[in-house]
Amino acid sequence: MSVLVVSGTGTEIGKTVVTAAVAAVARAAGRSVAVLKPAQTGVAPGEPGDADEVVRLAGDGVTGRELARFPEPLAPETAARRAGMAAVRPAAVAAAAEELAAGHDLVLVEGAGGLLVRYDGEGATLADAARLLGAPVLVVAAAGLGTLNLAALTGEALRARGITQAGVVVGSWPQVPGLAERCNLADLPASAGAPLLGVVPQGAGALAPAAFRAAAPTWLAPALGGDWDAAAFARAAHA
């Protein structure tokens, strides 16, 4: 695939760190990578945003690009409206991703919040951009209680729009998982209707970049370029 859209079942669940891990694994394989953040919210001018964080963790060989930045930490449409700024349209997201794809082996488009967060006043979402691109969507999910329902809703929304779900990655796996987290390893694929393609440990984004890049392949399944084994991880989690 040349374009992969990274969305999630909500906000603050590890989308940026997962995006960085996918980028790091692709870079290690010799692929050129770009990350596109259509709408960065809650970050002041001059401060590093999510695309900058992906570049920091995955390496300087990654191209980072934002389409718009809005000061308040709100949904993109709300943040744009309150700031009196132009909203981000799906066609602009698709055009930017296609432009980056012309010069890179892989383009990662990282959304804001969940899949159906509004980007403009007409109710356009990241799903609309993915559909324009014909790109699969990688869904980042939480580990604990409530994640099965959210993963099911996200998967249903993708299928209703004819969009391929590449799989699910747990964005922040706790150091000491409880019963719900351990059971969700088995239940997430059935709820989401897509394979579990990785588990990123809690706090991974705080690692030094070199350590992050070295560990990233152990968090992602072969479908994403890594060597993570879902069955072996589940056995270890239940041990």
Side-chain angles (χ1 to χ4, degrees), residues 118-141:
R118 292 166 63 97
Y119 274 69
D120 64 23
E122 284 70 54
T125 69
L126 186 68
D128 295 307
R131 186 163 51 183
L132 286 174
L133 286 162
V137 175
L138 180 67
V139 175
V140 181

Side-chain angles (χ1 to χ4, degrees), residues 26-45:
R27 285 292 298 138
R31 304 176 73 191
S32 56
V33 180
V35 57
L36 173 65
K37 184 73 176 183
Q40 176 68 65
T41 64
V43 178

Side-chain angles (χ1 to χ4, degrees), residues 49-192:
D50 291 343
D52 299 303
E53 180 67 359
V54 173
V55 171
R56 184 186 74 83
L57 289 171
D60 292 336
V62 177
T63 300
R65 183 175 175 189
E66 284 180 11
L67 288 189
R69 176 174 288 208
F70 308 117
E72 295 179 316
L74 302 168
E77 187 273 332
T78 307
R81 173 165 37 86
R82 284 178 53 84
M85 299 171 66
V88 177
R89 308 287 184 178
V93 179
E98 289 169 347
E99 179 186 341
L100 289 167
H104 297 82
D105 298 320
L106 175 63
V107 178
L108 301 169
V109 182
E110 185 194 340
L115 179 71
L116 300 186
V117 166
R118 292 166 63 97
Y119 274 69
D120 64 23
E122 284 70 54
T125 69
L126 186 68
D128 295 307
R131 186 163 51 183
L132 286 174
L133 286 162
V137 175
L138 180 67
V139 175
V140 181
L145 285 173
T147 196
L148 299 181
N149 177 62
L150 293 172
L153 290 169
T154 303
E156 184 173 303
L158 288 168
R159 290 189 294 275
R161 291 162 174 77
I163 301 170
T164 298
Q165 185 176 181
V168 179
V169 173
V170 174
S172 182
W173 183 257
Q175 292 183 357
V176 183
L179 178 62
E181 287 83 0
R182 297 195 302 272
C183 289
N184 285 342
L185 285 175
D187 295 340
L188 265 171
S191 294

Side-chain angles (χ1 to χ4, degrees), residues 21-22 24-26 28-29 197-198 215-229:
V22 175
V25 170
L197 295 183
T218 69
W219 305 331
L220 302 176
L224 294 175
D227 54 22
W228 179 80
D229 186 308

